[in-house]
mmCIF file of all heavy atoms in Angstrom:
data_model
loop_
_atom_site.group_PDB
_atom_site.id
_atom_site.type_symbol
_atom_site.label_atom_id
_atom_site.label_comp_id
_atom_site.label_asym_id
_atom_site.label_seq_id
_atom_site.Cartn_x
_atom_site.Cartn_y
_atom_site.Cartn_z
ATOM 1 N N LEU U 328 10.795 -2.007 40.574
ATOM 2 C CA LEU U 328 10.265 -1.013 39.646
ATOM 3 C C LEU U 328 11.010 0.292 39.885
ATOM 4 O O LEU U 328 11.675 0.470 40.887
ATOM 5 C CB LEU U 328 8.769 -0.813 39.918
ATOM 6 C CG LEU U 328 7.962 -2.110 39.859
ATOM 7 C CD1 LEU U 328 6.618 -1.926 40.540
ATOM 8 C CD2 LEU U 328 7.785 -2.534 38.419
ATOM 9 N N SER U 332 7.400 4.739 39.763
ATOM 10 C CA SER U 332 6.248 3.860 39.627
ATOM 11 C C SER U 332 5.337 3.986 40.854
ATOM 12 O O SER U 332 5.800 4.193 41.972
ATOM 13 C CB SER U 332 6.731 2.421 39.470
ATOM 14 O OG SER U 332 5.807 1.546 40.033
ATOM 15 N N THR U 333 4.035 3.851 40.626
ATOM 16 C CA THR U 333 3.076 3.991 41.722
ATOM 17 C C THR U 333 3.282 2.909 42.768
ATOM 18 O O THR U 333 2.940 3.076 43.928
ATOM 19 C CB THR U 333 1.636 3.888 41.191
ATOM 20 O OG1 THR U 333 1.577 2.738 40.343
ATOM 21 C CG2 THR U 333 1.233 5.117 40.415
ATOM 22 N N ASN U 334 3.874 1.813 42.362
ATOM 23 C CA ASN U 334 4.077 0.712 43.304
ATOM 24 C C ASN U 334 5.448 0.757 43.963
ATOM 25 O O ASN U 334 5.863 -0.198 44.581
ATOM 26 C CB ASN U 334 3.935 -0.632 42.562
ATOM 27 C CG ASN U 334 2.477 -0.954 42.314
ATOM 28 O OD1 ASN U 334 1.604 -0.144 42.588
ATOM 29 N ND2 ASN U 334 2.218 -2.169 41.821
ATOM 30 N N ILE U 337 6.780 -0.473 47.505
ATOM 31 C CA ILE U 337 7.094 -1.855 47.801
ATOM 32 C C ILE U 337 8.613 -2.063 47.829
ATOM 33 O O ILE U 337 9.133 -2.911 48.547
ATOM 34 C CB ILE U 337 6.420 -2.788 46.758
ATOM 35 C CG1 ILE U 337 6.299 -4.207 47.312
ATOM 36 C CG2 ILE U 337 7.158 -2.789 45.446
ATOM 37 C CD1 ILE U 337 5.448 -5.099 46.462
HETATM 38 C C1 NAG W 8 0.984 -2.473 41.564
HETATM 39 O O1 NAG W 8 0.692 -3.443 42.539
HETATM 40 C C2 NAG W 8 -0.576 -4.067 42.355
HETATM 41 C C3 NAG W 8 -0.826 -5.016 43.487
HETATM 42 O O2 NAG W 8 0.254 -5.066 44.325
HETATM 43 C C4 NAG W 8 -0.604 -4.801 41.013
HETATM 44 O O3 NAG W 8 -1.865 -5.371 40.807
HETATM 45 C C5 NAG W 8 -0.303 -3.813 39.909
HETATM 46 O O4 NAG W 8 -0.209 -4.487 38.673
HETATM 47 C C6 NAG W 8 1.013 -3.089 40.170
HETATM 48 N N1 NAG W 8 1.233 -2.069 39.171
HETATM 49 C C7 NAG W 8 2.295 -2.040 38.409
HETATM 50 C C8 NAG W 8 2.408 -0.916 37.462
HETATM 51 O O5 NAG W 8 3.181 -2.886 38.512
#
Side-chain angles (χ1 to χ4, degrees):
L328 305 162
S332 149
T333 48
N334 283 6
I337 201 170

